[in-house]
Amino acid sequence: MKRLTLNLYFMRLFMKSVFGTLAIVFALAYLVDLIELSRRGRFDNIGFGTLAAISAFRVPSFIEQAFPFVILFGSIFTLVTLNRRMELVVARAAGISIWQILLPLLAGSFLLGAAATALYNPLASLAQTRSAQIETMVAGDRADENADRAPWLRQHGGGISSIIGAKAVTDGGRELGGVTAFVLNDNGIVRERIDADRATLGDGAWMIDRPVVTVVGFPPESRPSYTLPTTLLPEYIEQRLADPSTISVWELPSKIDVARQLGYNADAFIMRLYTLLAKPALFMAMTLVAATVAVRYSRLGQSGPAIIGGVAAGFVLYVATFLAQALGSNSVVPPVAAAWFPVVAAGLFGITVLLHQEDG
């Protein structure tokens, strides 16, 4: 009973540290993103309320990427607090091993990781999709579009061949933002160019709102609308243009099946799925890494090295995770190996260092 009470106390302190860190990170991310959006000329004609809503919908996806570091620093703050109060020293003197002390923190990390994957990820994906829809309606594209991408699709319909590209895709591939299309003649040569803020996929055609149409040899002409025939399916458009990070963990398996049926490389979506499934284990690994730099006793005012060590460990793990995801998404290594390698490496590192600190 006493052990259960102690474990609950450690877990409650850990949760308090994690959610406190999360609140600080959320506030900073929201403030920085809001300032960044405000300084962009493309939003000059948008009211502050709309701008604040866009930023509020964008921040959850940023926080999802920062979750492992929130767990890392939450664990460090918990252990540093226990050290400063001498509670960790007393627990060790009472014969409680470091593994017993870390057990409630590891359990809390696992629960937070499972919640982040099963509950938070769908909400963050929904918020990010909503943000993209708002930005598409008010500005024509997204503020974080990747200019290096080449999202061009060749399409046919109604005897017309064309190439269409977009900076943003929403509504499951049925709506595009920042649209550019080239209509080809029978010889495959461009005969006109279409630029518009928004296009919606209707029954066998793109409905393009207020486009600027440039016919070869004539000046640009603004039109109220333009209908561009197509035979593309929304599923194919989403697979080619959508960012895997905008898709919920519950939808990824079906998206992977669709991509395979269409003959499209699904490794980016598979990588995203395995990364989300590995998140509970990653959170536990972060707690172990935090323990390697914060579990030893430090006097008041001497916890700086622990925090610096945690920052260094988090940076190294972030770089390793980023490289692994890039390799897995581009079929260089199997996605399952790329998703789990940083987790296993961080976990083994933490266990090895703690064993050395405990047993020498």
Side-chain angles (χ1 to χ4, degrees), residues 163-215:
I163 300 173
I164 190 169
K167 296 179 180 179
V169 55
T170 60
D171 194 20
R174 295 176 178 83
E175 185 173 323
L176 302 179
V179 180
T180 300
F182 297 94
V183 180
L184 311 178
N185 60 21
D186 295 337
N187 297 323
I189 301 174
V190 176
R191 76 181 189 197
E192 60 184 18
R193 169 174 173 159
I194 305 167
D195 295 281
D197 291 339
R198 184 182 177 189
T200 304
L201 183 62
D203 186 12
W206 289 106
M207 308 301 177
I208 305 176
D209 297 332
R210 297 186 299 274
V212 176
V213 180
T214 305
V215 180

Side-chain angles (χ1 to χ4, degrees), residues 65-323:
Q65 300 176 18
F67 258 141
F69 304 100
V70 172
I71 298 298
L72 176 69
F73 288 109
S75 301
I76 291 176
F77 295 152
T78 300
L79 295 172
V80 168
T81 300
L82 291 173
N83 262 326
R84 287 182 173 182
R85 296 175 180 175
M86 302 294 291
E87 293 170 331
L88 201 60
V89 177
V90 172
R92 300 289 297 277
I96 301 177
S97 69
I98 186 60
W99 307 109
Q100 292 172 314
I101 293 173
L102 291 178
L103 181 61
L105 276 67
L106 292 172
S109 298
F110 180 84
L111 292 176
L112 289 173
T117 297
L119 300 178
Y120 184 87
N121 171 260
L123 295 177
S125 299
L126 182 63
Q128 190 172 4
T129 300
R130 181 56 181 163
S131 171
Q133 291 174 342
I134 296 175
E135 293 180 53
T136 299
M137 288 188 294
V138 302
D141 56 10
R142 296 182 59 188
D144 60 345
E145 77 269 11
N146 187 349
D148 295 332
R149 291 183 65 188
W152 299 102
L153 299 177
R154 185 82 177 242
Q155 58 183 1
H156 303 273
I160 298 176
S161 298
S162 60
I163 300 173
I164 190 169
K167 296 179 180 179
V169 55
T170 60
D171 194 20
R174 295 176 178 83
E175 185 173 323
L176 302 179
V179 180
T180 300
F182 297 94
V183 180
L184 311 178
N185 60 21
D186 295 337
N187 297 323
I189 301 174
V190 176
R191 76 181 189 197
E192 60 184 18
R193 169 174 173 159
I194 305 167
D195 295 281
D197 291 339
R198 184 182 177 189
T200 304
L201 183 62
D203 186 12
W206 289 106
M207 308 301 177
I208 305 176
D209 297 332
R210 297 186 299 274
V212 176
V213 180
T214 305
V215 180
V216 176
F218 295 89
E221 175 188 0
S222 296
R223 300 184 185 179
S225 64
Y226 192 103
T227 301
L228 184 62
T230 183
T231 56
L232 296 178
L233 299 175
E235 295 82 3
Y236 180 77
I237 297 168
E238 185 179 38
Q239 293 295 326
R240 291 297 306 271
L241 301 181
D243 184 353
S245 64
T246 63
I247 301 176
S248 165
V249 64
W250 302 110
E251 298 177 351
L252 278 170
S254 62
K255 301 299 182 183
I256 292 171
D257 290 339
V258 170
R260 287 172 172 169
Q261 293 173 7
L262 294 173
Y264 181 64
N265 187 348
D267 282 349
F269 296 93
I270 297 173
M271 181 68 207
R272 176 64 176 170
L273 177 62
Y274 282 127
T275 299
L276 291 172
L277 295 178
K279 188 164 291 185
L282 176 62
F283 284 13
M284 296 175 68
M286 282 295 192
T287 299
L288 291 173
V289 172
T292 63
V293 298
V295 78
R296 287 192 171 186
Y297 172 71
S298 59
R299 296 186 183 92
L300 185 64
Q302 294 182 343
S303 56
I307 298 177
I308 295 175
V311 172
F315 176 77
V316 172
L317 187 58
Y318 172 79
V319 172
T321 303
F322 178 80
L323 291 176

